[in-house]
Coordinates of all heavy atoms in Angstrom, one line a residue:
D8 N 126.2 141.5 84.6 CA 127.2 142.0 85.4 C 127.2 143.5 85.3 O 127.3 144.1 84.2 CB 128.5 141.4 84.9 CG 129.7 141.7 85.8 OD1 129.6 142.7 86.6 OD2 130.7 141.0 85.7
G9 N 127.1 144.2 86.4 CA 127.1 145.6 86.5 C 128.3 146.3 85.9 O 128.2 147.4 85.5
R10 N 129.4 145.7 86.0 CA 130.6 146.3 85.4 C 130.6 146.6 83.9 O 131.2 147.5 83.5 CB 131.9 145.5 85.7 CG 132.2 145.3 87.1 CD 133.4 144.4 87.3 NE 133.0 143.1 86.9 CZ 133.8 142.1 86.6 NH1 135.1 142.3 86.7 NH2 133.4 140.9 86.2
Y11 N 129.8 145.9 83.2 CA 129.8 146.0 81.8 C 128.4 146.3 81.2 O 128.2 146.4 80.0 CB 130.3 144.7 81.2 CG 131.7 144.3 81.6 CD1 131.9 143.2 82.3 CD2 132.7 145.1 81.2 CE1 133.2 142.9 82.7 CE2 134.0 144.8 81.6 CZ 134.3 143.7 82.4 OH 135.5 143.3 82.7
S12 N 127.5 146.7 82.1 CA 126.1 147.0 81.7 C 126.1 148.3 80.8 O 125.3 148.4 79.9 CB 125.2 147.2 82.9 OG 125.7 148.3 83.7
H13 N 127.0 149.2 81.1 CA 127.0 150.4 80.2 C 127.5 150.1 78.8 O 127.0 150.7 77.8 CB 127.9 151.6 80.8 CG 129.4 151.2 80.9 ND1 129.9 150.3 81.8 CD2 130.4 151.7 80.2 CE1 131.2 150.2 81.6 NE2 131.5 151.1 80.6
V14 N 128.4 149.2 78.6 CA 128.8 148.7 77.3 C 127.7 148.0 76.6 O 127.5 148.2 75.4 CB 130.1 147.9 77.4 CG1 130.5 147.4 76.0 CG2 131.3 148.7 77.9
A15 N 127.0 147.1 77.3 CA 125.9 146.4 76.7 C 124.8 147.4 76.2 O 124.3 147.3 75.2 CB 125.3 145.4 77.7
E16 N 124.6 148.4 77.1 CA 123.6 149.5 76.6 C 124.1 150.2 75.4 O 123.3 150.5 74.5 CB 123.4 150.4 77.8 CG 122.3 151.5 77.5 CD 122.1 152.4 78.7 OE1 122.6 152.1 79.9 OE2 121.4 153.4 78.5
L17 N 125.4 150.6 75.4 CA 126.0 151.3 74.3 C 125.9 150.4 73.0 O 125.6 151.0 71.9 CB 127.5 151.6 74.6 CG 128.3 152.4 73.7 CD1 127.7 153.8 73.6 CD2 129.7 152.5 74.2
L18 N 126.2 149.2 73.1 CA 126.1 148.3 71.9 C 124.6 148.1 71.5 O 124.4 148.0 70.2 CB 126.8 146.9 72.2 CG 128.2 147.0 72.4 CD1 128.8 145.6 72.8 CD2 128.9 147.5 71.3
D19 N 123.7 148.1 72.4 CA 122.3 148.0 72.0 C 121.8 149.3 71.2 O 121.1 149.2 70.2 CB 121.4 147.8 73.2 CG 121.3 146.4 73.8 OD1 121.6 145.5 73.0 OD2 121.0 146.3 75.0
I20 N 122.3 150.4 71.7 CA 122.0 151.7 71.0 C 122.6 151.6 69.6 O 122.0 152.1 68.6 CB 122.6 152.9 71.8 CG1 121.8 153.1 73.1 CG2 122.5 154.2 70.9 CD1 122.4 154.1 74.1
F21 N 123.9 151.2 69.5 CA 124.5 151.1 68.2 C 123.7 150.1 67.3 O 123.5 150.4 66.1 CB 126.0 150.6 68.4 CG 126.6 150.1 67.1 CD1 127.0 151.1 66.2 CD2 126.8 148.8 66.7 CE1 127.6 150.8 65.0 CE2 127.4 148.4 65.6 CZ 127.8 149.4 64.7
K22 N 123.3 149.0 67.8 CA 122.6 148.0 66.9 C 121.3 148.6 66.4 O 120.9 148.5 65.2 CB 122.2 146.8 67.7 CG 123.4 145.9 68.0 CD 123.0 144.5 68.5 CE 122.1 144.6 69.6 NZ 121.7 143.4 70.2
E23 N 120.5 149.3 67.3 CA 119.2 149.9 67.0 C 119.3 151.0 66.0 O 118.5 151.2 65.1 CB 118.5 150.3 68.2 CG 118.1 149.2 69.1 CD 117.2 148.1 68.4 OE1 116.3 148.5 67.7 OE2 117.5 146.9 68.6
S24 N 120.4 151.8 66.1 CA 120.5 153.0 65.3 C 121.2 152.8 64.0 O 121.1 153.5 63.1 CB 121.0 154.2 66.1 OG 122.4 153.9 66.4
S25 N 122.1 151.8 63.9 CA 123.1 151.6 62.8 C 122.8 150.4 62.0 O 123.4 150.3 60.9 CB 124.5 151.6 63.3 OG 124.7 152.9 64.0
L26 N 122.1 149.4 62.5 CA 121.9 148.1 61.8 C 120.5 147.8 61.5 O 119.6 148.1 62.3 CB 122.5 147.0 62.6 CG 124.0 147.0 62.9 CD1 124.4 145.8 63.9 CD2 124.9 147.0 61.7
E27 N 120.3 147.3 60.3 CA 118.9 146.8 59.9 C 118.8 145.3 60.3 O 119.9 144.7 60.5 CB 118.7 147.0 58.4 CG 118.8 148.4 58.0 CD 117.6 149.2 58.4 OE1 116.5 148.7 58.6 OE2 117.8 150.4 58.7
E28 N 117.7 144.8 60.4 CA 117.4 143.4 60.7 C 118.2 142.5 59.8 O 118.2 142.7 58.6 CB 116.0 143.0 60.7 CG 115.6 141.8 61.4 CD 115.9 141.8 62.9 OE1 115.7 142.8 63.5 OE2 116.5 140.8 63.4
G29 N 119.0 141.6 60.3 CA 119.9 140.7 59.6 C 121.2 141.3 59.2 O 122.0 140.5 58.7
D30 N 121.4 142.6 59.4 CA 122.8 143.2 59.1 C 123.8 142.8 60.2 O 123.5 142.3 61.3 CB 122.7 144.7 59.1 CG 122.1 145.2 57.8 OD1 121.9 144.4 56.9 OD2 121.8 146.4 57.7
R31 N 125.0 143.0 59.8 CA 126.1 142.8 60.8 C 127.2 143.8 60.5 O 127.4 144.3 59.4 CB 126.7 141.4 60.7 CG 127.3 141.1 59.3 CD 127.7 139.6 59.2 NE 129.1 139.6 59.1 CZ 129.9 138.6 59.6 NH1 129.3 137.5 60.1 NH2 131.2 138.6 59.5
W32 N 127.9 144.1 61.6 CA 129.0 145.1 61.6 C 130.2 144.3 62.0 O 130.1 143.5 62.9 CB 128.8 146.3 62.5 CG 129.9 147.2 62.5 CD1 130.1 148.3 61.7 CD2 131.1 147.2 63.4 NE1 131.3 148.9 62.1 CE2 131.9 148.3 63.1 CE3 131.4 146.3 64.4 CZ2 133.1 148.5 63.8 CZ3 132.6 146.6 65.1 CH2 133.4 147.6 64.8
E33 N 131.3 144.5 61.3 CA 132.6 143.8 61.7 C 133.7 144.9 61.7 O 133.9 145.7 60.8 CB 132.9 142.7 60.7 CG 134.2 142.0 61.1 CD 134.4 140.7 60.2 OE1 133.5 140.3 59.6 OE2 135.6 140.3 60.2
G34 N 134.5 144.9 62.8 CA 135.6 145.8 62.9 C 136.3 145.6 64.3 O 135.9 144.9 65.1
T35 N 137.3 146.4 64.4 CA 138.1 146.4 65.7 C 137.4 147.3 66.7 O 136.5 148.1 66.4 CB 139.5 147.0 65.5 OG1 139.4 148.3 65.1 CG2 140.2 146.1 64.4
C36 N 137.9 147.3 68.0 CA 137.3 148.2 69.0 C 137.6 149.6 68.6 O 136.8 150.5 68.9 CB 138.0 147.8 70.4 SG 137.4 146.2 71.0
S37 N 138.7 149.9 68.1 CA 139.1 151.3 67.7 C 138.1 151.8 66.6 O 137.6 152.9 66.7 CB 140.5 151.4 67.2 OG 141.4 151.0 68.1
E38 N 137.8 151.0 65.6 CA 136.9 151.3 64.6 C 135.5 151.5 65.2 O 134.8 152.5 64.8 CB 136.8 150.2 63.5 CG 138.1 150.1 62.7 CD 138.2 148.9 61.9 OE1 137.5 147.9 62.2 OE2 139.0 149.0 60.8
L39 N 135.1 150.7 66.1 CA 133.8 150.9 66.8 C 133.7 152.2 67.6 O 132.7 152.8 67.5 CB 133.5 149.6 67.7 CG 132.1 149.6 68.3 CD1 131.0 149.7 67.3 CD2 131.9 148.4 69.1
L40 N 134.8 152.5 68.3 CA 134.8 153.7 69.0 C 134.6 154.9 68.1 O 134.0 155.9 68.4 CB 136.0 153.8 69.9 CG 136.0 153.1 71.2 CD1 137.3 153.2 72.0 CD2 134.9 153.6 72.1
K41 N 135.3 154.9 67.0 CA 135.1 156.0 66.0 C 133.7 156.1 65.5 O 133.2 157.3 65.5 CB 136.1 155.7 64.8 CG 137.5 156.1 65.0 CD 138.3 155.7 63.8 CE 137.9 156.6 62.6 NZ 138.8 156.3 61.4
V42 N 133.0 155.0 65.3 CA 131.6 155.1 64.8 C 130.8 155.6 66.0 O 129.9 156.4 65.8 CB 131.1 153.7 64.4 CG1 129.7 153.7 64.2 CG2 131.9 153.2 63.1
L43 N 131.0 155.1 67.2 CA 130.1 155.5 68.3 C 130.4 157.0 68.7 O 129.3 157.6 69.0 CB 130.5 154.6 69.5 CG 130.1 153.1 69.5 CD1 130.7 152.4 70.6 CD2 128.6 153.0 69.4
S44 N 131.6 157.5 68.5 CA 131.8 158.9 68.9 C 131.1 159.8 68.0 O 130.9 161.0 68.3 CB 133.3 159.2 68.8 OG 133.8 159.1 67.5
K45 N 130.7 159.4 66.8 CA 129.9 160.2 65.9 C 128.5 160.2 66.1 O 127.7 161.0 65.5 CB 130.3 159.8 64.4 CG 131.7 160.1 64.0 CD 132.0 159.6 62.6 CE 133.5 159.9 62.4 NZ 133.9 159.4 61.1
M46 N 128.0 159.3 66.9 CA 126.5 159.1 67.2 C 126.1 160.2 68.3 O 126.9 160.4 69.3 CB 126.2 157.7 67.7 CG 126.4 156.7 66.6 SD 126.2 155.0 67.3 CE 124.5 155.1 67.9
S47 N 125.0 160.8 68.1 CA 124.5 161.8 69.1 C 123.9 161.0 70.3 O 123.3 160.0 70.1 CB 123.5 162.7 68.5 OG 122.4 162.1 68.1
G48 N 124.1 161.6 71.4 CA 123.5 161.0 72.7 C 124.3 159.9 73.4 O 123.8 159.4 74.4
V49 N 125.4 159.5 72.9 CA 126.2 158.5 73.6 C 127.4 159.0 74.3 O 128.2 158.3 74.8 CB 126.6 157.3 72.6 CG1 125.4 156.7 72.0 CG2 127.5 157.8 71.5
D50 N 127.6 160.3 74.3 CA 128.8 161.0 74.9 C 129.0 160.5 76.3 O 130.1 160.2 76.7 CB 128.7 162.5 74.9 CG 128.4 163.0 73.5 OD1 128.0 162.3 72.6 OD2 128.6 164.2 73.3
I51 N 127.9 160.5 77.1 CA 128.0 160.2 78.5 C 128.4 158.7 78.7 O 129.2 158.4 79.6 CB 126.7 160.5 79.2 CG1 126.8 160.4 80.7 CG2 125.6 159.6 78.8 CD1 127.5 161.6 81.3
L52 N 128.0 157.9 77.8 CA 128.4 156.4 78.0 C 129.8 156.2 77.5 O 130.4 155.2 77.9 CB 127.4 155.6 77.1 CG 126.0 155.6 77.6 CD1 125.2 154.8 76.5 CD2 125.9 154.9 78.9
L53 N 130.4 157.1 76.7 CA 131.8 156.9 76.2 C 132.8 157.5 77.1 O 134.0 157.4 76.9 CB 131.9 157.5 74.8 CG 131.2 156.7 73.6 CD1 131.3 157.5 72.4 CD2 131.8 155.3 73.5
R54 N 132.4 158.3 78.1 CA 133.3 159.0 78.9 C 134.4 158.2 79.5 O 135.6 158.6 79.4 CB 132.5 159.6 80.1 CG 133.4 160.6 80.8 CD 132.7 161.3 82.0 NE 131.3 161.7 81.6 CZ 130.4 162.1 82.4 NH1 130.6 162.0 83.7 NH2 129.2 162.4 82.0
D55 N 134.2 157.0 80.0 CA 135.3 156.2 80.6 C 135.6 155.0 79.7 O 136.2 154.1 80.2 CB 134.8 155.7 82.0 CG 134.6 156.8 82.9 OD1 135.4 157.9 82.8 OD2 133.7 156.8 83.8
V56 N 135.3 155.0 78.4 CA 135.6 153.9 77.6 C 136.8 154.2 76.7 O 136.9 155.2 76.1 CB 134.3 153.6 76.7 CG1 134.6 152.4 75.7 CG2 133.1 153.3 77.5
N57 N 137.7 153.2 76.7 CA 138.8 153.2 75.7 C 138.8 151.9 75.0 O 138.0 151.0 75.3 CB 140.1 153.6 76.4 CG 140.5 152.5 77.5 OD1 140.3 151.4 77.3 ND2 141.1 153.0 78.5
T58 N 139.7 151.7 74.1 CA 139.7 150.5 73.3 C 139.9 149.2 74.1 O 139.3 148.2 73.9 CB 140.7 150.5 72.1 OG1 142.0 150.8 72.7 CG2 140.3 151.5 71.1
R59 N 140.8 149.3 75.1 CA 141.1 148.2 76.0 C 139.9 147.8 76.8 O 139.5 146.6 76.9 CB 142.3 148.5 76.9 CG 142.6 147.3 77.7 CD 143.9 147.6 78.5 NE 145.0 147.5 77.5 CZ 146.2 147.7 77.8 NH1 146.6 148.1 79.0 NH2 147.1 147.5 76.9
K60 N 139.3 148.8 77.4 CA 138.1 148.5 78.2 C 136.9 148.0 77.4 O 136.2 147.1 77.8 CB 137.6 149.8 79.0 CG 138.5 150.2 80.1 CD 138.0 151.4 80.8 CE 139.0 151.8 82.0 NZ 138.5 153.1 82.6
L61 N 136.7 148.5 76.2 CA 135.7 148.1 75.3 C 136.0 146.6 74.9 O 135.0 145.8 74.9 CB 135.6 148.9 74.0 CG 134.6 148.6 73.0 CD1 133.2 148.7 73.7 CD2 134.7 149.5 71.9
G62 N 137.2 146.3 74.6 CA 137.6 144.9 74.3 C 137.3 143.9 75.4 O 136.7 142.8 75.2
W63 N 137.6 144.3 76.6 CA 137.4 143.5 77.8 C 135.9 143.3 78.0 O 135.4 142.1 78.2 CB 138.0 144.1 79.1 CG 139.4 144.0 79.2 CD1 140.3 143.2 78.6 CD2 140.2 144.9 80.0 NE1 141.6 143.5 79.0 CE2 141.6 144.5 79.8 CE3 139.9 146.0 80.8 CZ2 142.6 145.2 80.4 CZ3 141.0 146.7 81.4 CH2 142.3 146.3 81.2
A64 N 135.1 144.3 77.9 CA 133.7 144.2 78.1 C 133.1 143.4 77.0 O 132.2 142.5 77.3 CB 133.1 145.7 78.1
M65 N 133.5 143.5 75.7 CA 132.9 142.8 74.7 C 133.2 141.3 74.8 O 132.4 140.4 74.6 CB 133.4 143.3 73.3 CG 132.7 144.7 73.0 SD 133.4 145.5 71.6 CE 132.8 144.6 70.3
R66 N 134.5 141.0 75.3 CA 134.9 139.6 75.5 C 134.0 139.0 76.6 O 133.5 137.9 76.5 CB 136.3 139.5 75.9 CG 136.8 138.1 76.1 CD 138.3 138.0 76.3 NE 139.1 138.9 75.5 CZ 139.9 139.8 76.0 NH1 140.0 140.1 77.3 NH2 140.6 140.6 75.2
H67 N 133.8 139.8 77.7 CA 132.9 139.3 78.8 C 131.5 139.1 78.3 O 130.9 138.0 78.6 CB 132.9 140.4 79.9 CG 132.0 140.1 81.0 ND1 132.4 139.2 82.0 CD2 130.8 140.5 81.3 CE1 131.4 139.0 82.9 NE2 130.4 139.9 82.5
L68 N 130.9 140.0 77.6 CA 129.6 139.9 77.1 C 129.5 138.6 76.2 O 128.4 137.9 76.3 CB 129.1 141.1 76.4 CG 128.9 142.4 77.3 CD1 128.7 143.6 76.4 CD2 127.8 142.2 78.2
S69 N 130.4 138.4 75.3 CA 130.3 137.3 74.4 C 130.4 136.0 75.1 O 129.8 135.0 74.7 CB 131.4 137.4 73.3 OG 132.7 137.2 73.8
T70 N 131.2 135.9 76.2 CA 131.3 134.7 76.9 C 130.1 134.4 77.8 O 129.8 133.3 78.3 CB 132.6 134.6 77.8 OG1 132.5 135.7 78.8 CG2 133.8 134.7 77.0
K71 N 129.3 135.4 78.1 CA 128.1 135.3 79.0 C 126.9 135.0 78.2 O 125.8 135.1 78.7 CB 127.9 136.6 79.8 CG 129.0 136.8 80.8 CD 129.1 135.6 81.8 CE 130.2 135.9 82.8 NZ 130.5 134.7 83.6
G72 N 127.0 134.8 76.8 CA 125.9 134.3 76.1 C 125.2 135.4 75.2 O 124.1 135.1 74.7
C73 N 125.9 136.5 74.9 CA 125.3 137.4 74.0 C 125.6 136.9 72.6 O 126.7 137.1 72.0 CB 125.9 138.8 74.1 SG 125.5 139.6 75.7
D74 N 124.6 136.2 72.0 CA 124.8 135.6 70.7 C 124.9 136.5 69.5 O 125.3 136.1 68.5 CB 123.7 134.5 70.5 CG 122.3 135.1 70.5 OD1 122.1 136.3 70.9 OD2 121.4 134.4 70.1
W75 N 124.6 137.8 69.8 CA 124.7 138.8 68.7 C 126.1 139.4 68.7 O 126.4 140.2 67.8 CB 123.7 139.9 68.9 CG 123.7 140.4 70.3 CD1 122.9 140.0 71.3 CD2 124.4 141.4 70.9 NE1 123.1 140.7 72.5 CE2 124.1 141.6 72.3 CE3 125.5 142.3 70.4 CZ2 124.7 142.5 73.1 CZ3 126.1 143.2 71.2 CH2 125.7 143.3 72.5
L76 N 127.0 139.0 69.5 CA 128.3 139.5 69.6 C 129.3 138.3 69.6 O 129.4 137.5 70.5 CB 128.5 140.3 70.9 CG 129.9 140.9 71.2 CD1 130.2 141.9 70.1 CD2 129.9 141.5 72.6
T77 N 130.2 138.3 68.6 CA 131.2 137.3 68.4 C 132.5 137.8 67.9 O 132.6 138.9 67.4 CB 130.8 136.2 67.5 OG1 130.5 136.7 66.2 CG2 129.6 135.4 68.0
R78 N 133.6 137.1 68.1 CA 134.9 137.4 67.5 C 134.8 137.0 66.0 O 134.1 136.1 65.6 CB 136.0 136.6 68.2 CG 136.2 136.9 69.7 CD 136.9 138.3 69.8 NE 138.3 138.2 69.3 CZ 139.2 138.8 69.9 NH1 139.1 139.5 71.0 NH2 140.5 138.8 69.3
S79 N 135.6 137.7 65.2 CA 135.6 137.4 63.8 C 136.3 136.1 63.6 O 137.1 135.6 64.3 CB 136.5 138.5 63.1 OG 136.7 138.2 61.7
D80 N 135.8 135.4 62.5 CA 136.3 134.1 62.2 C 137.7 134.2 61.5 O 138.3 133.1 61.3 CB 135.3 133.3 61.3 CG 134.1 133.0 62.0 OD1 134.1 132.9 63.2 OD2 133.0 132.8 61.3
T81 N 138.1 135.3 61.1 CA 139.3 135.5 60.4 C 140.5 135.2 61.3 O 140.7 135.9 62.3 CB 139.4 136.9 59.7 OG1 138.3 137.2 59.0 CG2 140.7 137.0 58.9
K82 N 141.4 134.3 60.9 CA 142.5 133.9 61.8 C 143.4 135.1 61.9 O 143.8 135.8 61.0 CB 143.2 132.7 61.1 CG 144.3 132.1 62.0 CD 144.9 130.9 61.5 CE 145.9 130.3 62.4 NZ 146.5 129.1 62.0
G83 N 143.9 135.3 63.1 CA 144.8 136.4 63.5 C 144.1 137.7 63.5 O 144.8 138.8 63.7
S84 N 142.8 137.8 63.5 CA 142.1 139.1 63.5 C 141.7 139.4 64.9 O 141.4 138.6 65.7 CB 140.9 138.9 62.5 OG 140.1 140.1 62.6
C85 N 141.7 140.7 65.1 CA 141.2 141.2 66.4 C 139.9 142.0 66.2 O 139.6 142.9 66.9 CB 142.2 142.2 67.0 SG 143.8 141.4 67.4
K86 N 139.1 141.5 65.3 CA 137.8 142.1 65.0 C 136.7 141.4 65.6 O 136.7 140.3 66.0 CB 137.6 142.1 63.4 CG 138.6 143.0 62.7 CD 138.3 143.0 61.3 CE 139.3 143.9 60.6 NZ 139.0 144.2 59.2
W87 N 135.6 142.2 65.8 CA 134.4 141.8 66.4 C 133.3 141.8 65.4 O 133.3 142.6 64.5 CB 134.0 142.6 67.6 CG 134.9 142.4 68.8 CD1 136.0 143.1 69.1 CD2 134.8 141.4 69.8 NE1 136.6 142.6 70.2 CE2 135.8 141.6 70.7 CE3 133.8 140.5 70.0 CZ2 135.9 140.8 71.8 CZ3 134.0 139.7 71.2 CH2 135.0 139.8 72.0
V88 N 132.3 141.0 65.6 CA 131.1 141.0 64.8 C 129.9 141.2 65.6 O 129.7 140.5 66.6 CB 130.9 139.6 64.0 CG1 129.7 139.6 63.2 CG2 132.1 139.3 63.1
I89 N 129.1 142.3 65.3 CA 127.9 142.6 66.0 C 126.8 142.4 65.0 O 126.8 143.0 63.9 CB 127.9 144.1 66.5 CG1 129.1 144.3 67.4 CG2 126.6 144.4 67.1 CD1 129.3 145.8 67.8
K90 N 125.8 141.6 65.4 CA 124.6 141.3 64.6 C 123.4 141.9 65.1 O 123.2 141.9 66.4 CB 124.5 139.7 64.4 CG 125.7 139.0 63.9 CD 125.4 137.6 63.9 CE 126.7 136.8 63.8 NZ 126.6 135.4 64.2
K91 N 122.5 142.2 64.3 CA 121.1 142.7 64.8 C 120.2 141.6 64.8 O 120.2 140.8 63.9 CB 120.6 143.8 63.9 CG 119.3 144.3 64.3 CD 119.2 145.7 64.4 CE 117.8 146.1 64.8 NZ 117.4 147.4 64.7

């Protein structure tokens, strides 16, 4: 889906630059945006992204079969898990 392709690309960049094979990152959309904003070269992709849009995109990607992206198992949590 073209509406969320920039987020998928952003998450791929994050996985490649921040995670080792078998690693996982867990956190909220706000925490992820903080991490992403410190990475060089992603400024253009973050221009129109806020926590709400990031959450919608991540929900969409996870329902479309991105097995590396899931919601946290912790009950009542609004965290995401990104696996490499």
Side-chain angles (χ1 to χ4, degrees):
D8 189 342
R10 292 177 296 164
Y11 301 114
S12 61
H13 67 290
V14 173
E16 184 177 349
L17 187 61
L18 295 176
D19 281 339
I20 292 168
F21 170 73
K22 289 188 315 181
E23 293 303 315
S24 65
S25 300
L26 300 176
E27 297 293 328
E28 195 63 40
D30 282 353
R31 60 185 253 149
W32 177 91
E33 184 173 340
T35 65
C36 290
S37 298
E38 292 168 336
L39 182 57
L40 277 178
K41 281 177 62 176
V42 171
L43 292 171
S44 68
K45 294 177 182 174
M46 294 174 59
S47 63
V49 298
D50 306 14
I51 191 81
L52 295 172
L53 288 175
R54 187 179 318 165
D55 295 327
V56 177
N57 60 37
T58 55
R59 181 174 287 176
K60 288 181 182 179
L61 182 60
W63 287 336
M65 291 171 72
R66 187 177 314 118
H67 176 79
L68 292 170
S69 70
T70 61
K71 294 300 179 190
C73 292
D74 58 349
W75 49 267
L76 178 64
T77 57
R78 295 286 292 219
S79 175
D80 292 336
T81 308
K82 188 174 182 177
S84 175
C85 296
K86 293 186 177 185
W87 288 93
V88 178
I89 301 171
K90 302 175 200 165
K91 175 133 184 194

